[in-house]
Amino acid sequence: MSKANANGSTVPDQPSADKRGSRMQRFGSWLHTRIESATRPAKTLALILLQSLCSCATLFLLVRFFVATSLETWDVLLVSCAVIPALLMHRVQDYREQNRRIASNMMKQHPVLTHPGQWQLLPAVAFICVGSLLALAASWHVWGWANVTGNGDRATASLAVVGGLGLIVSLVVAYRKQASTERTETSRQINSAMQLLGEDKGTKRNAGVFALLDIGDRNPKVRQQIVNQLCRYLRTKRSDDASVESTIISELSQRLLSGNPSHWENIDIDLHGACLNEPFEMQGVSISSINCTKTRFKSPCNISTARIRGFAGFGDAEFNCSANFACTEFQGISYFQRSVFFGKVGFLDSEFQAASEFFSAKFKDSADFSYSTFRRSVNFNGIIVESDILLSTAEYEDTVDLSNIVCKTASARQEIRELRQKRFQQFRRDHSEINDG
């Protein structure tokens, strides 16, 4: 039959899905609808029954293959009993895949959540089939190793092999289930702590900070995630939050201290664009990297005797008070370009193992680079010095860019002049040694 559309023309009826599909497809659609309308216990029970049926059928088929000398009609039926549940579970897998995508979209909206990971049905079916083949190969070797010839002895040996593999599979499944439970519980605890961190009262926010840190102390795998959440909180605009900010900085400093037995290793700190009102005390820490690009330090900043193994970014940062980087080891590239130092800044006895950039930095007060070591190139091009600066006693093992430096005091101009003379003499010595060689 045909139906009339909005324009008055007739459109032939399209064949229904049941007519186009096979009986297996119709039955799979019916099962999909039943599972979708069922409750969670009913879904779980149905999945367990399907998995058990497929596993038992495959196991009996394996034993029958070992014992029988030839295949019979009921062997074909047994194969069908193993294949049909696999096809049905494939339909169920489609339903679970839709739920997984929905959950994934929800987790993308909330970055704290992590996917717990589940034992999927289709991989389980594939694992059963592969396990059966492995059991067959293992049994074949056992027969040859133990010189087993009788059918009954072969069946006994095969069941022993299958039982051992089944025990291993059970242990793996139990481990995955326990790990999934732990990840889910950790995500729940982090969400609860983050809710406390968003409260209006400072006492509750402090409680949220300690709750997050406690989770990190007990679970090293989420420590970077905890630090990311605390740094993100510090990057937000806050008011009347001195206690919480001070707590975060002091507690992180203790856990990042290199000599601390419970040291948090391989941590990256990202405070780009933050405005820190409290003293930034990170003396003696050992971290992977730090990003303080465009960060404003309204109180003293102390990152002395620290070790930064990777990127150290302080470009376009503003230091309203003193900044202390004395005896700090910069193992990666360090950026201080266009930074403004209103207070005294000290790089006394620091070591720069990679390239360092101070392009167009402004030193409103004294700057001390005495006895520092620059093992790679350093760029002082365009720096502005409004007070004293000490650069001549530092050690330079690579190129130094001293062009376009603006000095507003006589002592600073004399220091730059001495450094240029020192570098020129070093260049002449190196050049003469090359000629003599």
Side-chain angles (χ1 to χ4, degrees), residues 35-267:
I35 291 179
E36 187 176 15
S37 60
T39 59
R40 179 177 292 272
K43 295 177 185 178
T44 305
L45 180 60
L47 297 180
I48 292 175
L49 290 177
L50 290 175
Q51 284 183 326
S52 302
L53 180 60
C54 186
S55 302
C56 293
T58 306
L59 178 61
F60 282 113
L61 178 62
L62 182 64
V63 175
R64 174 63 180 170
F65 176 77
F66 290 152
V67 177
T69 57
S70 62
L71 293 177
E72 299 178 1
T73 304
W74 72 278
D75 294 314
V76 179
L77 297 177
L78 193 56
V79 173
S80 301
C81 292
V83 173
I84 291 175
L87 296 177
L88 296 180
M89 282 189 286
H90 179 67
R91 299 293 301 177
V92 176
Q93 176 66 15
D94 293 338
Y95 170 75
R96 295 189 65 183
E97 183 66 21
Q98 293 178 0
N99 288 341
R100 189 194 65 80
R101 288 196 296 266
I102 295 174
S104 178
N105 294 332
M106 294 177 62
M107 285 184 285
K108 289 180 180 179
Q109 298 176 0
H110 203 304
V112 178
L113 294 176
T114 56
H115 197 280
Q118 296 179 352
W119 181 262
Q120 302 294 341
L121 292 178
L122 191 57
V125 175
F127 185 82
I128 291 173
C129 298
V130 174
S132 301
L133 296 177
L134 292 177
L136 176 60
S139 301
W140 187 273
H141 287 287
V142 169
W143 294 346
W145 173 70
N147 196 19
V148 178
T149 57
N151 290 337
D153 295 337
R154 287 185 177 183
T156 303
S158 300
L159 288 175
V161 172
V162 173
L165 293 177
L167 179 60
I168 295 175
V169 172
S170 300
L171 293 176
V172 172
V173 173
Y175 171 77
R176 289 173 60 92
K177 183 177 180 181
Q178 178 65 22
S180 176
T181 303
E182 292 178 356
R183 288 193 294 267
T184 303
E185 178 63 19
T186 301
S187 298
R188 186 192 63 81
Q189 294 176 359
I190 293 177
N191 290 334
S192 299
M194 289 300 299
Q195 290 179 359
L196 289 176
L197 199 57
E199 293 288 342
D200 295 333
K201 295 183 179 180
T203 54
K204 292 186 177 181
R205 292 199 298 271
N206 271 323
V209 172
F210 284 109
L212 287 173
L213 294 172
D214 182 66
I215 296 172
D217 290 335
R218 291 184 282 107
N219 191 348
K221 294 182 179 180
V222 299
R223 287 176 177 175
Q224 183 61 61
Q225 182 181 356
I226 298 299
V227 174
N228 292 343
Q229 296 300 328
L230 294 177
C231 290
R232 187 175 66 174
Y233 176 81
L234 292 178
R235 292 196 303 267
T236 59
K237 295 182 179 181
R238 309 174 312 278
S239 60
D240 191 18
D241 200 35
S243 175
V244 179
E245 180 180 322
S246 178
T247 299
I248 294 176
I249 295 174
S250 61
E251 292 297 328
L252 281 182
S253 177
Q254 293 178 9
R255 286 162 174 80
L256 299 176
L257 194 64
S258 59
N260 190 351
S262 58
H263 171 65
W264 289 17
E265 298 180 352
N266 301 323
I267 296 299

Side-chain angles (χ1 to χ4, degrees), residues 411-427:
S411 60
R413 288 190 291 270
Q414 179 64 25
E415 183 71 14
I416 298 300
R417 189 180 301 111
E418 292 179 1
L419 178 58
R420 286 172 175 168
Q421 293 177 356
K422 181 179 178 180
R423 293 296 301 169
F424 179 71
Q425 294 174 0
Q426 182 66 35
F427 172 78

Side-chain angles (χ1 to χ4, degrees), residues 200-403:
D200 295 333
K201 295 183 179 180
T203 54
K204 292 186 177 181
R205 292 199 298 271
N206 271 323
V209 172
F210 284 109
L212 287 173
L213 294 172
D214 182 66
I215 296 172
D217 290 335
R218 291 184 282 107
N219 191 348
K221 294 182 179 180
V222 299
R223 287 176 177 175
Q224 183 61 61
Q225 182 181 356
I226 298 299
V227 174
N228 292 343
Q229 296 300 328
L230 294 177
C231 290
R232 187 175 66 174
Y233 176 81
L234 292 178
R235 292 196 303 267
T236 59
K237 295 182 179 181
R238 309 174 312 278
S239 60
D240 191 18
D241 200 35
S243 175
V244 179
E245 180 180 322
S246 178
T247 299
I248 294 176
I249 295 174
S250 61
E251 292 297 328
L252 281 182
S253 177
Q254 293 178 9
R255 286 162 174 80
L256 299 176
L257 194 64
S258 59
N260 190 351
S262 58
H263 171 65
W264 289 17
E265 298 180 352
N266 301 323
I267 296 299
D268 301 310
I269 296 179
D270 185 4
L271 293 173
H272 72 277
C275 182
L276 303 178
N277 298 310
E278 298 301 308
F280 191 71
E281 289 287 340
M282 287 287 173
Q283 182 178 5
V285 300
S286 178
I287 56 179
S288 292
S289 66
I290 182 170
N291 183 11
C292 291
T293 305
K294 296 183 179 181
T295 301
R296 185 178 182 183
F297 299 89
K298 291 186 175 181
S299 296
C301 173
N302 184 10
I303 314 181
S304 60
T305 64
R307 178 182 298 173
I308 305 175
R309 294 187 294 275
F311 172 78
F314 294 89
D316 297 288
E318 183 177 311
F319 299 85
N320 290 352
C321 297
S322 62
N324 186 9
F325 296 91
C327 302
T328 296
E329 184 178 348
F330 298 90
Q331 297 182 358
I333 298 177
S334 55
Y335 287 95
F336 291 87
Q337 72 275 17
R338 295 182 299 275
S339 296
V340 181
F341 299 90
F342 288 93
K344 296 182 179 180
V345 56
F347 290 91
L348 177 67
D349 202 22
S350 294
E351 182 178 354
F352 298 84
Q353 298 183 5
S356 53
E357 284 283 343
F358 290 87
F359 173 76
S360 296
K362 295 181 180 180
F363 299 94
K364 300 287 187 178
D365 207 328
S366 62
D368 189 0
F369 290 86
S370 299
Y371 308 107
S372 296
T373 303
F374 296 90
R375 303 196 181 278
R376 293 293 183 267
S377 61
V378 55
N379 184 11
F380 290 109
N381 182 6
I383 65 172
I384 300 176
V385 183
E386 298 184 5
S387 184
D388 299 333
I389 187 171
L390 297 176
L391 288 171
S392 60
T393 58
E395 182 179 352
Y396 305 92
E397 299 182 359
D398 207 330
T399 59
V400 183
D401 190 348
L402 300 173
S403 57

